[in-house]
Amino acid sequence: QHLALVMPTWVGDACMATPTLRAIRQRYPQLKISLICRPVIRDLIWGAWGDEPAWCDSTWLVTKSGGGDVYTRRELTRALRSSDVDAAILLPNAFWAAAVMRLAGIRRLIGYHRDARGWLLSDRLPVPRKDGKPRPISAVDYYAALSAWIDAPLSSRAMQLEQDGVGRQLAGQLLEQVGYDEGQPLLVLNSGAATDPRRVWPEEHVAELARRAAIELGYFVLIHCGPAEREQADRIARSVAHPSVASM
């Protein structure tokens, strides 16, 4: 049997999918597993050296524009049609993921019944709701329900990413620059959002959390951000004014 896993689009969501990937591999060690994902997600999951992790056998790279060894969605449909993939789990809620799998002739499609795609799925999971509205839950648990559907419950909710020696050395240098002591527990806060400003934490809330973690729990707190949030991260760190709080 050959299972395809359509991965989340964003890096943070892909990190939170790693417990699900691990659970499926542990439950079905002989199953052929392929990931369908953007190149950046492949690089994240495989690690800086590009080595395949234990929980998948291959990847199908896909973007809207394609190019090189990367498929467009139409090209992916054709490639899957001639493959031996016979089942797919759709981690993201995207309509295109269900449409590509269905057009490729994959009969068993497992995913959440939402975004007008339920009719394309063979196995429709209900969206967790409260008072008739989608209930906010951790993406770790959201994805875990999909693996549990095929009798592969999580053995651990811990997220897992591998890194090579070069990456570890670079991380060590960066942490040394901000004054991190390895004997101290480390907490990394990222309050930004790539696509939706409504998901950005209020600065005062981030500052309060960082302050309490440093003073009450003894953590070294690193305010992490992308290039566009550099000024905000520096401003939060300055407002806390504690030697164990820095921005990077």
Side-chain angles (χ1 to χ4, degrees):
Q1 290 184 315
H2 188 173
L3 174 68
L5 286 165
V6 181
M7 292 293 293
T9 301
W10 304 109
V11 167
D13 292 335
C15 292
M16 290 186 280
T18 55
T20 292
L21 304 185
R22 186 172 59 238
I24 293 173
R25 173 54 79 205
Q26 290 174 344
R27 178 65 179 83
Y28 301 105
Q30 304 305 318
L31 184 66
K32 184 178 180 181
I33 300 174
S34 296
L35 303 185
I36 297 174
C37 59
R38 296 168 60 215
V40 67
I41 302 301
R42 187 273 309 273
D43 295 343
L44 175 79
I45 298 298
W46 281 18
W49 290 116
D51 296 329
E52 295 179 15
W55 49 60
C56 79
D57 302 292
S58 62
T59 57
W60 304 68
L61 302 179
V62 59
T63 63
K64 291 182 179 179
S65 57
D69 63 345
V70 181
Y71 293 102
T72 64
R73 294 171 183 177
R74 180 175 294 180
E75 292 168 343
L76 177 64
T77 302
R78 290 196 296 264
L80 287 169
R81 193 176 293 137
S82 60
S83 74
D84 62 349
V85 173
D86 48 23
I89 294 178
L90 315 180
L91 298 182
N93 299 317
F95 182 88
W96 75 261
V100 166
M101 298 298 112
R102 179 57 65 194
L103 290 171
I106 300 172
R107 294 189 175 183
R108 188 172 188 194
L109 301 181
I110 304 165
Y112 281 99
H113 187 355
R114 62 178 300 170
D115 292 2
R117 67 177 192 174
W119 61 280
L120 293 168
L121 305 176
S122 61
D123 298 51
R124 306 172 186 88
L125 275 70
V127 176
R129 293 182 179 276
K130 182 178 181 180
D131 299 328
K133 298 180 180 180
R135 178 169 58 87
I137 65 172
S138 167
V140 172
D141 298 319
Y142 194 74
Y143 301 141
L146 293 167
S147 62
W149 186 268
I150 60 169
D151 192 30
L154 300 191
S155 59
S156 168
R157 297 180 76 257
M159 293 176 282
Q160 178 182 349
L161 292 176
E162 300 298 331
Q163 185 54 269
D164 61 31
V166 175
R168 292 180 183 275
Q169 181 180 12
L170 177 60
Q173 292 172 351
L174 292 172
L175 289 171
E176 185 177 358
Q177 289 177 14
V178 297
Y180 171 62
D181 179 358
E182 291 188 2
Q184 203 173 2
L186 175 66
L187 174 65
V188 179
L189 295 178
N190 191 325
S191 62
T195 58
D196 188 349
R198 292 173 300 178
R199 299 173 63 183
V200 177
W201 294 2
E203 288 188 27
E204 60 272 20
H205 293 186
V206 181
E208 179 62 18
L209 177 58
R211 182 181 298 107
R212 294 185 62 178
I215 296 174
E216 300 177 18
L217 302 177
Y219 278 87
F220 188 95
V221 182
L222 187 61
I223 311 297
H224 180 264
C225 68
E229 295 89 30
R230 165 53 51 209
E231 182 178 342
Q232 180 192 50
D234 290 343
R235 186 165 58 244
I236 292 172
R238 288 195 302 268
S239 71
V240 177
H242 191 281
S244 289
V245 177
S247 66
M248 178 182 292

